C-alpha cells in the first residue's frame, strides 16, 4: 500500500557533485566548534588540546543553501557573521571508527560558510543555553559543489574568505586543532555516521559581520570556492 501524507513532505536536500550528473543527498550537518587556536582565542575561549576534547553542534539539513545564492539578512540579529570552513562529506557508514581507518569513510570535500547570529550565540554561550538560535539559521549553511576524493585526508591547504573583495580570513587547514581522522574517530563515538553527513570542520580567525548587499567569496586550496550574496532583511 502506498503511503500517503497530510501534506507534501519536505524535499531531499542535496548538493551538486563535480563531474557527475547525480546530486549528493544530505543527511545531517555537524559542525565543530573552536578548531583553530587563533579563532578560539579571538572568541575568548582558548583551547588546550591536552585536556580538552572536540565539541559539536548541529544545523538542520533544511538550512542548506548552495553557493551562489542570495539570502535574506536573517531576523533576530544585528551581528550576522561569516565563518569560512572546509566541509568533509561522509560517504559510508562509520561507528567507533579508529583514526587509522577514518579515511575509508570519506567521500569528498566542499567549501562551507557556517553563518552565525553572533550576538545570539554569545548570549546563549554565556548563559549556558543551547546555541540553536545563533547557529541553526534558515539559509545559514552554505555549501559549494562537492568534490569527490574518496579516502583522501586533506591535511593542508590555504583557506581564505573575502567580503566585497577584501580579505578577512586567511589560514591553512594544517592549523586544525583536531584533524580530519581525529574528528571522524571522535564524532563516530557518538553517532553512526551516514553517507551524506556533512562535517563543518571549524573556522580560523578573522570572523566578522556582513550587512545587506555585501558579497562573500571564499576558497579552500585544492577543493574549490564558494560565493554568497547577502540580501535585505525580510
Ligand atoms: Mn563554525
Amino acid at each position: 500500500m502506498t503511503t500517503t501524507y497530510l501534506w507534501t513532505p519536505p524535499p531531499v536536500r542535496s548538493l551538486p557533485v563535480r563531474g557527475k550528473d547525480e546530486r549528493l543527498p544530505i543527511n545531517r550537518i555537524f559542525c565543530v566548534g573552536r578548531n583553530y587556536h587563533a579563532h578560539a582565542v579571538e572568541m575568548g575561549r582558548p583551547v588546550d588540546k591536552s585536556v580538552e576534547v572536540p565539541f559539536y553542534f548541529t544545523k538542520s539539513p533544511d538550512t542548506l543553501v548552495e553557493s551562489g545564492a542570495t539570502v535574506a539578512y536573517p531576523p533576530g540579529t544585528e551581528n550576522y557573521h561569516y565563518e569560512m570552513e572546509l566541509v568533509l562529506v561522509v560517504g559510508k557508514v562509520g561507528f567507533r571508527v579508529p583514526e587509522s581507518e577514518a579515511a575509508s569513510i570519506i567521500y569528498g570535500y566542499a567549501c562551507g560558510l557556517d553563518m552565525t547570529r553572533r550576538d545570539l550565540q554569545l548570549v546563549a554561550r554565556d548563559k549556558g543555553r543551547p546555541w540553536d538560535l545563533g547557529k541553526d539559521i534558515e539559509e545559514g549553511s552554505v555549501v559549494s559543489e562537492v568534490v569527490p576524493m574518496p579516502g583522501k585526508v586533506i591535511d593542508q591547504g590555504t583557506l581564505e574568505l573575502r567580503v566585497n573583495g577584501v580579505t578577512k580570513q586567511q589560514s591553512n587547514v594544517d592549523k586544525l586543532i583536531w584533524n580530519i581522522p581525529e574528528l571522524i574517530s571522535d564524532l563516530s563515538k557518538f553517532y553512526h555516521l551516514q553517507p551524506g553527513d556533512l562535517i563543518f570542520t571549524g573556522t580560523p580567525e578573522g570572523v566578522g559581520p556582513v550587512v545587506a548587499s555585501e558579497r562573500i567569496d571564499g576558497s579552500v586550496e585544492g577543493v574549490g570556492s564558494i560565493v554568497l550574496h547577502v540580501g535585505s532583511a525580510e
Side-chain angles (χ1 to χ4, degrees):
M1 193 179 131
T2 304
T3 304
T4 59
Y5 299 99
L6 285 173
W7 47 77
T8 306
V12 174
R13 305 292 169 169
S14 66
L15 289 168
V17 183
R18 185 178 297 173
K20 292 190 184 297
D21 294 328
E22 298 94 342
R23 291 176 63 91
L24 189 143
I26 301 305
N27 190 43
R28 290 169 291 191
I29 302 177
F30 296 102
C31 301
V32 184
R34 294 178 210 141
N35 203 21
Y36 288 82
H37 283 298
H39 172 63
V41 168
E42 78 180 346
M43 297 304 293
R45 294 289 193 277
V47 173
D48 178 353
K49 189 178 180 183
S50 69
V51 294
E52 294 183 50
V53 293
F55 74 92
Y56 311 95
F57 55 91
T58 57
K59 300 178 89 157
S60 314
D62 65 6
T63 63
L64 186 72
V65 173
E66 281 183 41
S67 175
T70 299
V71 302
Y73 191 91
T77 183
E78 295 179 358
N79 198 18
Y80 195 40
H81 274 210
Y82 52 79
E83 294 191 356
M84 180 67 205
E85 311 200 6
L86 171 66
V87 177
L88 164 66
V89 182
V90 175
K92 294 182 179 168
V93 173
F95 182 55
R96 295 177 181 150
V97 182
E99 286 176 31
S100 61
E101 295 173 21
S104 68
I105 73 162
I106 295 172
Y107 177 80
Y109 296 87
C111 298
L113 294 169
D114 169 19
M115 300 303 292
T116 302
R117 289 180 179 111
R118 189 72 70 201
D119 40 4
L120 300 192
Q121 183 211 4
L122 294 183
V123 167
R125 183 191 75 178
D126 295 343
K127 289 183 181 294
R129 294 173 178 165
W131 286 13
D132 299 51
L133 290 180
K135 286 291 194 178
D136 191 34
I137 301 166
E138 292 172 352
E139 302 187 307
S141 305
V142 190
V143 183
S144 71
E145 68 172 354
V146 173
V147 183
M149 299 184 205
K152 178 174 172 58
V153 171
I154 290 184
D155 56 9
Q156 66 85 35
T158 301
L159 180 153
E160 294 181 298
L161 179 141
R162 291 164 289 274
V163 177
N164 289 347
V166 178
T167 300
K168 301 290 187 180
Q169 292 188 282
Q170 188 170 52
S171 187
N172 195 295
V173 174
D174 67 6
K175 293 189 167 59
L176 284 171
I177 298 173
W178 284 278
N179 63 28
I180 300 291
E182 288 170 331
L183 291 175
I184 290 172
S185 180
D186 186 73
L187 188 58
S188 70
K189 293 173 183 171
F190 304 95
Y191 294 95
H192 294 74
L193 296 177
Q194 301 290 325
D197 284 343
L198 304 182
I199 304 173
F200 280 63
T201 57
T203 196
E205 70 277 19
V207 300
V210 283
V211 298
S213 85
E214 288 190 313
R215 177 184 190 271
I216 300 171
D217 77 279
S219 58
V220 179
E221 181 185 3
V223 176
S225 59
I226 188 167
V227 173
L228 182 69
H229 304 275
V230 181
S232 299
E234 291 178 280

